[in-house]
Amino acid sequence: MATLSMPRVEGAIWEAFGIQPENKGAYTGREAVPGDGTPYANPSPVDGKTLPAVQKATSDPYEAVIRKAQEAFLTWRITPAPKRAEVIRLFGEKLRKVKGELAQIISYEMGKIYQEALGEVQEVIDMCDFGVGLSRQLYGLTIASERPNHRMYEQWHPLGPVGIITAFNFPVAVWAWNAVIAAVCGDPTVWKPSEKAPLSALAIFAVLREAIEEAQVPEGVFNLVIGDAELGQTMACDSRLPLISATGSVRMGRSVAQQVAKRLGRSLLELGGNNAIIVTPHANLDLALRAVTFAALGTAGQRCTTLRRLILHESIYETFLERLKAVYRQASERIGNPLDPNTLIGPLVDRAAVQTMQEALQEVQEQGGQVLFGGEVLEGPGYESGCYVRPAIVTAENHWPIVQRETFAPILYVLKYRTLEEAIALQNGVPQGLSSSIFTNHLQEAELFLSAAGSDCGIANVNIGPSGAEIGGAFGGEKETGGGREAGSDAWKAYMRRQTVTINYGNNLPLAQGIRFEV
């Protein structure tokens, strides 16, 4: 693949990944699936120029993909796990060679800055490394039996084809969290990427196809279908997909969960976040300021782990706010083309996101909040796409409806507290439960925050921000965030079925619980 210079995105980058002016919308590994779906093309949020078109997968190519995934499962499930991991190893090696080029596509298609796009590709590479190791660690348990001459143990078997629905903000990393682990566990995958970022999916799938061919993986182990929310609903209702892993809004996740539950399938949900940082008087304020900056401004506020609420102790409230506004002023001078190395904040994904942000700012002011900084839509040279905004700092109350919702934009609500118990109650006092942080050098404060009486989120951090999790830990949240766990730790168990085995190697048949049943 060609080596391309930064920051320009030229036609060669599309050719390097096999992307044409118009592209198929369904693939079963190496092969494109014929279809007659309507082509659609998004504008780039960077400059408003029309991106290459993609054909939506209709019912016929979708059916072809599902059938191929079912066929592949029969072979893939009995392939030894370390052998399955060979394609993952090759995939990771190939990604290392095109990391920069793939990052350019991600950045240009959905707007995150190039450094963050590089980090996202690295996350996929890290998942490949993790998956290769995991292939030799799909452990069960040995269980003590109460009956003499009996042995009990657990073993794990592949579950079946897994449906993966991902969001635009991490157009390749979240797919990898699922696809890498599922493949190692013996499951084919059917991936529906966000309709806002189909080209990133096509590009990384082109790299994967090379690994599939080299490792001679059966057609249908890795599948791609591109479409809108209706296609996602089709997947949720499809009993041939025993697990649906869906990432997106709470509204979307609730719909998926209901459809999957109707057929008694499994759902793995990674939904909205409404994440907070508590800063206590015992915090290293320099450290906290740096963490707040990245957590609130990274990906232009479009991460599920983005900092939405800043909870400051009353004794440091004014001082910290003044310092934060100064940092925001500096960062606002570096809003622009995300492929420019000097840019810190790129555009929102589209004009609809900009409109949502403006409506949220209007609502919070109607409820009594004050915009302390930013919030404007930027215009003029370099901002022609209409997707660039100045990040906002807003005073608010935690119980206001707008603060209780997740707005996928760079709006930071600032709250004040007196006691740590009050701060924890504010932190927990929203429907979502993804990520949380406290900044303190006081042991008792940190331990209270991490205790059962502390943060109710799936992720709890001390002296680091809520955004930017490592793949080694299980990622996910509680409450309306969905309860799912992906990536590291024992998240692999979601992609397998557990089987409890009992073997009687004696000549008698004792019953459990001492029951006697003799004829």
Side-chain angles (χ1 to χ4, degrees):
M1 293 185 179
T3 300
L4 301 166
S5 60
M6 262 260 295
R8 296 176 61 197
V9 178
E10 301 171 338
I13 194 167
W14 309 119
E15 297 170 10
F17 290 91
I19 296 174
Q20 306 299 319
E22 186 172 312
N23 302 274
K24 298 293 184 184
Y27 291 84
T28 56
R30 295 185 291 274
E31 301 296 328
V33 181
D36 56 358
T38 304
Y40 77 100
N42 295 318
S44 167
V46 176
D47 54 19
K49 294 180 179 178
T50 302
L51 295 166
V54 181
Q55 190 180 64
K56 289 185 179 180
T58 56
S59 58
D60 287 345
Y62 174 76
E63 283 298 318
V65 163
I66 293 295
R67 287 195 298 269
K68 188 61 71 172
Q70 288 182 295
E71 292 172 12
F73 180 55
L74 302 179
T75 303
W76 196 240
R77 66 184 177 181
I78 58 174
T79 302
K83 179 66 175 176
R84 295 193 292 249
E86 177 64 8
V87 66
I88 301 301
R89 183 187 67 80
L90 290 170
F91 181 40
E93 289 179 357
K94 293 178 183 300
L95 280 175
R96 285 175 168 87
K97 298 175 183 177
V98 296
K99 177 179 174 181
E101 294 93 323
L102 183 54
Q104 287 185 43
I105 287 182
I106 294 169
S107 185
Y108 188 60
E109 182 175 42
M110 59 74 57
K112 68 172 57 175
I113 64 172
Y114 181 68
Q115 278 297 315
E116 290 192 68
L118 284 173
E120 177 166 2
V121 181
Q122 184 61 49
E123 192 164 350
V124 180
I125 294 169
D126 292 344
M127 279 304 306
C128 290
D129 290 347
F130 182 86
V132 172
L134 177 66
S135 70
R136 297 178 185 272
Q137 300 179 72
L138 301 174
Y139 300 137
L141 296 173
T142 298
I143 304 166
S145 174
E146 67 185 63
R147 292 169 284 186
N149 299 324
H150 281 61
R151 180 164 67 90
M152 292 179 64
Y153 67 91
E154 286 182 350
Q155 62 183 4
W156 296 83
H157 290 309
L159 182 63
V162 173
I164 304 172
I165 302 170
T166 58
F168 75 87
N169 58 330
F170 281 87
V172 298
V174 175
W175 163 74
W177 291 355
N178 289 273
V180 166
I181 303 302
V184 167
C185 290
D187 303 327
T189 53
V190 178
W191 177 25
K192 190 201 89 64
S194 168
E195 58 269 34
K196 296 182 180 182
L199 301 179
S200 297
L202 288 173
I204 199 167
F205 217 75
V207 183
L208 177 61
R209 286 204 304 271
E210 294 181 5
I212 288 171
E213 182 133 8
E214 194 169 327
Q216 297 183 327
V217 171
E219 195 76 15
V221 171
F222 298 96
N223 304 278
L224 174 66
V225 287
I226 292 173
D228 52 21
E230 185 177 346
L231 178 61
Q233 283 296 309
T234 298
M235 292 172 65
C237 296
D238 196 333
S239 61
R240 295 168 294 182
L241 298 173
L243 171 66
I244 297 291
S245 176
T247 303
S249 68
V250 173
R251 180 181 58 83
M252 179 276 287
R254 186 175 284 114
S255 175
V256 167
Q258 290 171 352
Q259 297 300 329
V260 174
K262 283 181 182 178
R263 58 179 176 86
L264 297 181
R266 298 189 196 180
S267 56
L268 195 168
L269 302 176
E270 297 290 355
L271 309 177
N274 199 344
N275 316 292
I277 287 179
I278 298 170
V279 185
T280 83
H282 304 103
N284 178 331
L285 297 186
D286 292 335
L287 195 66
L289 190 65
R290 289 166 56 194
V292 167
T293 302
F294 175 71
L297 302 182
T299 323
Q302 298 173 116
R303 290 181 174 223
C304 54
T305 54
T306 289
L307 175 63
R308 308 286 176 202
R309 298 173 297 136
L310 178 60
I311 304 172
L312 300 172
H313 189 267
E314 59 183 5
S315 66
I316 60 171
Y317 183 87
E318 296 296 342
T319 301
F320 196 89
L321 260 185
E322 287 305 310
R323 294 185 63 185
L324 183 61
K325 285 189 285 186
V327 170
Y328 266 56
R329 280 191 288 271
Q330 294 175 13
S332 293
E333 295 174 1
R334 298 171 65 182
I335 300 172
N337 188 322
L339 287 161
D340 186 331
N342 293 316
T343 295
L344 277 182
I345 305 170
L348 297 186
V349 68
D350 55 25
R351 292 191 176 191
V354 174
Q355 181 63 28
T356 298
M357 177 180 178
Q358 297 309 301
E359 292 171 355
L361 289 172
Q362 181 178 350
E363 183 176 342
V364 75
Q365 290 176 89
E366 290 171 352
Q367 291 170 4
Q370 180 184 0
V371 178
L372 302 179
F373 181 90
E376 308 92 344
V377 180
L378 301 180
E379 299 176 345
Y383 303 132
E384 291 85 358
S385 69
C387 298
Y388 293 87
V389 297
R390 199 180 310 279
I393 302 173
V394 185
T395 60
E397 296 293 336
N398 203 59
H399 64 276
W400 291 348
I402 187 60
V403 180
Q404 292 285 304
R405 302 197 302 268
E406 178 190 45
T407 300
F408 227 51
I411 301 175
L412 180 61
Y413 301 117
V414 185
L415 314 172
K416 187 186 296 186
Y417 80 94
R418 289 186 177 180
T419 68
L420 184 56
E421 289 77 8
E422 178 189 356
I424 292 173
L426 290 171
Q427 142 68 39
N428 294 343
V430 293
Q432 309 84 358
L434 180 51
S435 190
S436 59
S437 298
I438 188 171
F439 276 78
T440 179
N441 288 332
H442 195 292
L443 178 64
Q444 289 179 319
E445 290 181 335
E447 290 295 337
L448 177 60
F449 180 75
L450 298 174
S451 74
S455 169
D456 64 1
C457 294
I459 300 170
N461 298 323
V462 177
N463 293 335
I464 64 170
S467 190
E470 298 180 33
I471 60 100
F475 180 91
E478 301 300 322
K479 302 189 294 189
E480 286 191 358
T481 302
R485 292 299 184 274
E486 293 172 320
S489 186
D490 65 348
W492 60 269
K493 293 180 179 179
Y495 306 88
M496 305 195 82
R497 58 182 178 88
R498 186 197 311 249
Q499 189 174 73
T500 301
V501 178
T502 305
I503 299 172
N504 178 4
Y505 56 90
N507 294 316
N508 296 313
L509 193 67
L511 300 178
Q513 294 84 47
I515 294 173
R516 299 180 63 87
F517 192 88
E518 298 178 358
V519 178

